[in-house]
Amino acid sequence: MSVVQRFEGLKDEVREGLGEKIVALRRDIHREPELGFDTERTAEKVLAALEGLPLGIRTGVVENGVVATLDGEGDGPTVGLRADMDALPIREETGLPFASEIEGKMHACGHDGHTSMLVGAAHALCGMRERLNGTVKFFFQPAEEGGGGGKVMVEEGVADDVASIFALHLWPGLPFGTAATKAGPIMAAADAFEMTVRGKGGHGAFPHQTADAIAMAAQIVTALQTLVSREVDPVEPAVVTVGEIGAGSAFNIIPEKARLGGTVRTLNEDLRRMMPERIERIARSVAQGMRGDAELDYEFSYPVTMNEEGAARTALGVIRGLFGEEHTLELANPSMGAEDFAFFLEKIPGAFIWLGVGEDVSFLHTPTFAFDEEILPQGSALLTALALESLSE
């Protein structure tokens, strides 16, 4: 039986049978966004939506995570499906009737959709247990947005028995209903740094008596851009961004120190490990040349999101069977964004998949991000099909 035949009618079945429930759950989660590991209410909503299903439930994973387990009819391997639950510290400006009721917090990255899609897949797969030659684990993870919840989940061992794993991310810029992935790197490593630039403070009218930390910091920001343009192979992607700069207490005082904060994105692990030394060398050289110094605090955060070749091939085959060739995209290039699903993929063969919500949709992490909810049952159907394909006889 072909992939097309195996999944014929699945999209319609999920939409007609579960579409309203999936959308209602998404809206309920969207109204009450929660940050980081503090996803207690979201977890409660997930548990309520799973109630009555033949699932083994484990709560309190990395504080407020949930892991649900479905045993199929056969004794095959375990496949994992993962969704993130946390929101962002953004004030919503969508005007939606179910907009965030929590000031300064918003689901601006689609995690409310990811969570509801995974709940929909759990319902669908529970109705198909006889087709599962193995086990499905559903991971509802907190703290994707900078908290490293995926890393902690993996370290707690909840995925130790998983043979393969998949996750979806709603993606503006892709045509609606198109799913995209690739073998190898699909998203970059994201690391962070803070830097303290030290000089000698003094009166703004007598700069010759000072070592101006602001002037040093400005020169360092400019010099760091040459790191990518002159020290990294031109065909090797890398990004160095200074996103924070702060100094001073009054307009006529030259401060003693300034602070910089930034992010570094890479796809090559060897290059990634070289970046702290290179950043520190440039910064200290500039500062010392201006009679000051610089101290670097560097944190390796999220690794490269690396799709395993076989899992990516499986995903692309399932997408073609479910959505058709015209809605299947094998990506040519990765994104320089980052994703903590990378921690699962360091341990388990799997694939991360983008699900298009339209080319004219506001991008992720913006206060106007919103999407057509018709995509949600399609996402549930795709997660369902990935599990079925992974556990087929």
Side-chain angles (χ1 to χ4, degrees):
M1 184 184 295
S2 70
V3 177
V4 174
Q5 291 172 317
R6 281 201 297 277
F7 300 135
E8 186 176 6
L10 180 59
K11 277 200 306 179
D12 291 339
E13 183 180 341
V14 172
R15 184 181 68 252
E16 293 168 8
L18 297 167
E20 290 185 5
K21 292 180 180 179
I22 296 168
V23 170
L25 176 60
R26 181 260 167 156
R27 294 183 177 187
D28 192 20
I29 293 172
H30 191 90
R31 288 189 186 95
E32 296 185 276
E34 298 176 296
L35 306 183
F37 291 97
D38 298 325
T39 54
E40 182 177 0
R41 289 284 297 126
T42 305
E44 289 173 355
K45 293 171 184 181
V46 167
L47 291 170
L50 297 176
E51 190 173 358
L53 296 178
L55 297 167
I57 301 289
R58 179 175 172 181
T59 60
V61 182
V62 294
E63 296 188 33
N64 287 301
V66 176
V67 179
T69 302
L70 173 64
D71 293 321
E73 295 299 316
D75 58 358
T78 297
V79 62
L81 302 174
R82 172 270 199 176
D84 35 19
M85 300 193 295
D86 57 322
L88 286 157
I90 294 176
R91 183 179 181 274
E92 183 164 353
E93 298 176 7
T94 62
L96 292 170
F98 52 88
S100 171
E101 297 173 358
I102 311 298
E103 182 63 30
K105 299 180 184 179
M106 176 194 173
H107 272 288
C109 200
H111 297 189
D112 51 339
H114 305 165
T115 298
S116 61
M117 288 190 294
L118 188 55
V119 167
H123 276 266
L125 287 164
C126 283
M128 304 175 184
R129 293 179 69 184
E130 73 284 353
R131 295 172 61 180
L132 298 174
N133 180 37
T135 300
V136 184
K137 270 193 168 183
F138 306 89
F139 297 94
F140 297 90
Q141 178 211 308
E144 190 281 324
E145 297 290 357
K151 180 176 187 290
V152 185
M153 250 190 184
V154 170
E155 289 174 346
E156 287 197 2
V158 294
D160 283 355
D161 58 344
V162 176
S164 61
I165 192 164
F166 300 91
L168 304 183
H169 202 301
L170 299 177
W171 205 263
L174 278 180
F176 184 89
T178 293
T181 192
K182 66 183 292 293
I186 186 171
M187 299 188 79
D191 301 317
F193 67 86
E194 289 192 357
M195 186 182 300
T196 302
V197 181
R198 298 187 184 278
K200 178 183 178 183
H203 198 297
F206 305 95
H208 60 291
Q209 297 177 355
T210 74
D212 190 338
I214 289 180
M216 294 176 207
Q219 293 290 331
I220 288 169
V221 171
T222 301
L224 286 178
Q225 302 314 305
T226 66
L227 197 162
V228 173
S229 68
R230 289 297 177 268
E231 296 196 34
V232 175
D233 188 326
V235 300
E236 184 70 56
V239 177
V240 176
T241 296
V242 177
E244 296 177 283
I245 183 166
S249 58
F251 73 95
N252 60 349
I253 300 173
I254 293 174
E256 179 183 352
K257 63 182 179 179
R259 176 187 165 275
L260 303 176
T263 182
V264 178
R265 310 293 174 119
T266 53
L267 294 172
N268 180 297
E269 186 64 21
D270 290 338
L271 175 60
R272 183 189 185 202
R273 296 291 164 179
M274 294 176 186
M275 294 302 268
E277 182 277 328
R278 294 181 175 190
I279 290 172
E280 184 173 41
R281 170 173 44 79
I282 289 173
R284 294 197 70 191
S285 296
V286 169
Q288 288 172 355
M290 300 174 71
R291 296 178 291 123
D293 206 347
E295 299 170 2
L296 179 68
D297 183 11
Y298 199 95
E299 179 185 1
F300 290 102
S301 301
Y302 288 5
V304 175
T305 304
M306 186 72 70
N307 285 348
E308 192 266 336
E309 184 176 354
R313 188 166 55 247
T314 295
L316 287 165
V318 168
I319 294 164
R320 289 189 184 97
L322 191 66
F323 293 163
E325 188 68 43
E326 69 277 15
H327 294 298
T328 304
L329 176 63
E330 184 168 5
L331 294 165
N333 298 305
S335 164
M336 297 307 284
E339 165 63 52
D340 89 341
F341 187 59
F343 291 109
F344 285 95
L345 294 179
E346 281 189 321
K347 180 179 178 63
I348 307 162
F352 193 61
I353 302 160
W354 301 346
L355 184 58
V357 294
E359 296 168 279
D360 299 323
V361 173
S362 296
F363 203 68
L364 308 171
H365 290 220
T366 62
T368 55
F369 172 69
F371 57 88
D372 184 343
E373 293 172 321
E374 285 294 319
I375 199 63
L376 297 177
Q378 292 192 41
S380 290
L382 179 52
L383 289 167
T384 301
L386 288 165
L388 288 171
E389 182 69 7
S390 299
L391 299 178
S392 63
E393 294 286 355

